Amino acid sequence: MIVHEPVLLKEVLGLLIPPADDGLLLDVTLGQGGHAEAFLARYPRLLLVGVDADPDVLETARARLAPFAARIRLVNAWFGAYLAERVGEPDADLILMDLGISRFHYEASGRGFSFDRDEALDMRLGPDLPDTAADIVNDTPPRALADILFRYGEERHAHAIVARIVRERAAAPIASSSRLASIVAAAVPQDYRRRRIHPATRTFQALRIAVNRELEQLEKGLEEALRVLKPGGRIGVISFHSLEDRIVKRYFREKSRDCTCPPEWPICQCGGKAELRLVTGKPVTASEEEVSRNPASRSAKLRVAEKPRALPEDGQ
């Protein structure tokens, strides 16, 4: 069993503190349960709902969290859909979203997440999704495929990569991760191939995001999380690339503004009140010690916000 080391664990525990030791934590991207295990061990009366779209990784977490079975409930679902359907249940004291892909997916899932392995080009985090990465690579028109690589991978050589993909898929469908990786490497300039990261890194990221609709899931999840969070409760989000972090940063900042009127209006007319308070102005990143021990933490960014407690109405 591959055990994924949770990133920014000390920082998460320090910023997401339940108001009482019998509070409710929604870990809506449970993974292999590393953060959840630490919370449950620290707070002996804390209740936890763990959500993950991948039934295989959920079973790994179930085994890891077996000592706390009486205090947990595990749900196999996409977190945006789960939060949207959470009606008539207690609101949460804490919500955690760790948006990273676990070591299990790269090293043991067999679904083609890694360009270092010869596996079927799948990349689905949940079996209910209709399209695999191979479907997208082989069936998407060139212009739309280049747009996926540029938008989700910020890949500046997207058009050259797609031109090579189109030529190769005409000869035979691209069905494996290793073949796609070699196609990408052959398509980019030589100096790009000599960089620290593999030249296929951004292409694989873009396809994974497209297959799993990760950015749409995040936007929906943030909106629904605010709805089910108790006043005084906190939400923490760990992102691993700039697209995710920009969405979280923008959402937290927009919801932390009292006034949403256009800046050119001299007087506020919306009467708005902030729905969140920023706990971390800048994202929290991993220490040098953590990065040396766990290189996966290098790109992790943690942002935390708090839902303000309700204030009494004027005159009450």
Side-chain angles (χ1 to χ4, degrees):
M1 178 177 67
I2 290 178
V3 176
H4 177 75
E5 181 178 353
V7 301
L8 297 171
L9 179 59
K10 181 175 72 173
E11 292 79 3
V12 167
L13 289 171
L15 289 166
L16 296 183
I17 301 172
D21 67 359
D22 61 348
L24 173 62
L25 165 64
L26 302 184
D27 186 339
V28 297
T29 51
L30 184 66
Q32 290 192 302
H35 289 105
E37 181 182 40
F39 273 102
L40 291 163
R42 174 170 287 202
Y43 301 104
R45 297 172 60 203
L46 184 71
L47 303 177
L48 177 134
V49 177
V51 182
D52 205 281
D54 188 331
D56 294 336
V57 81
L58 196 67
E59 289 309 305
T60 303
R62 190 184 304 278
R64 185 176 192 170
L65 301 177
F68 312 102
R71 294 191 280 133
I72 68 173
R73 179 163 64 92
L74 303 186
V75 180
N76 181 206
W78 295 92
F79 69 87
Y82 165 77
L83 290 169
E85 294 166 6
R86 188 179 172 85
V87 177
E89 298 186 51
D91 286 344
D93 298 283
L94 302 171
I95 297 176
L96 176 62
M97 299 179 184
D98 176 0
L99 305 175
I101 302 298
S102 74
R103 280 182 59 201
F104 166 82
H105 290 106
Y106 287 117
E107 298 181 20
S109 70
R111 299 181 212 154
F113 288 98
S114 174
F115 37 73
D116 293 327
R117 297 172 182 270
D118 186 23
E119 298 174 343
L121 194 58
D122 189 315
M123 293 196 192
R124 290 176 296 176
L125 292 173
D128 57 325
L129 292 174
D131 297 324
T132 67
D135 293 329
I136 292 176
V137 167
N138 289 295
D139 300 338
T140 305
R143 182 175 293 181
L145 184 56
D147 185 56
I148 287 172
L149 300 193
F150 183 76
R151 189 192 326 166
Y152 296 148
E154 299 178 297
E155 175 54 75
R156 59 192 178 94
H157 297 295
H159 289 286
I161 291 169
V162 169
R164 187 80 178 212
I165 286 174
V166 169
R167 189 163 76 240
E168 293 286 341
R169 76 188 188 184
I174 301 167
S176 74
S177 54
S178 60
R179 184 175 175 220
L180 178 61
S182 64
I183 290 170
V184 174
V188 300
Q190 190 172 6
D191 65 324
Y192 199 64
R193 295 197 293 269
R194 290 198 294 262
R195 296 189 175 188
R196 180 177 58 83
I197 66 170
H198 192 285
T201 299
R202 293 180 181 276
T203 295
F204 272 61
Q205 172 187 298
L207 291 172
R208 193 200 77 220
I209 290 173
V211 166
N212 296 288
R213 304 167 188 170
E214 293 178 26
L215 301 188
E216 295 92 330
Q217 190 74 210
L218 175 57
E219 291 173 342
K220 180 178 182 179
L222 288 170
E223 199 70 52
E224 297 295 341
L226 179 58
R227 181 183 61 81
V228 304
L229 188 64
K230 282 182 182 178
R234 289 188 174 187
I235 176 172
V237 184
I238 302 173
S239 61
F240 287 83
H241 55 75
S242 59
L243 298 175
E244 292 172 338
D245 185 57
R246 282 200 291 268
I247 290 173
V248 179
K249 177 182 178 180
R250 183 176 65 247
Y251 183 81
F252 279 5
R253 287 194 172 176
E254 286 177 356
K255 294 299 181 179
S256 66
R257 292 168 51 196
D258 284 318
C259 176
T260 58
C261 295
E264 63 270 17
W265 290 11
I267 299 174
C268 173
Q269 298 182 29
C270 70
K273 293 182 179 180
E275 296 179 75
L276 287 173
R277 178 183 70 83
L278 298 180
V279 176
T280 55
K282 294 182 178 180
V284 176
T285 57
S287 66
E288 291 183 7
E289 186 277 330
E290 180 176 1
V291 171
S292 66
R293 186 185 73 251
N294 181 15
S297 67
R298 181 184 295 110
S299 58
K301 293 182 178 181
L302 168 65
R303 294 184 185 271
V304 178
E306 182 176 293
K307 188 173 186 177
R309 297 182 183 278
L311 298 175
E313 297 292 332
D314 293 341
Q316 293 185 358

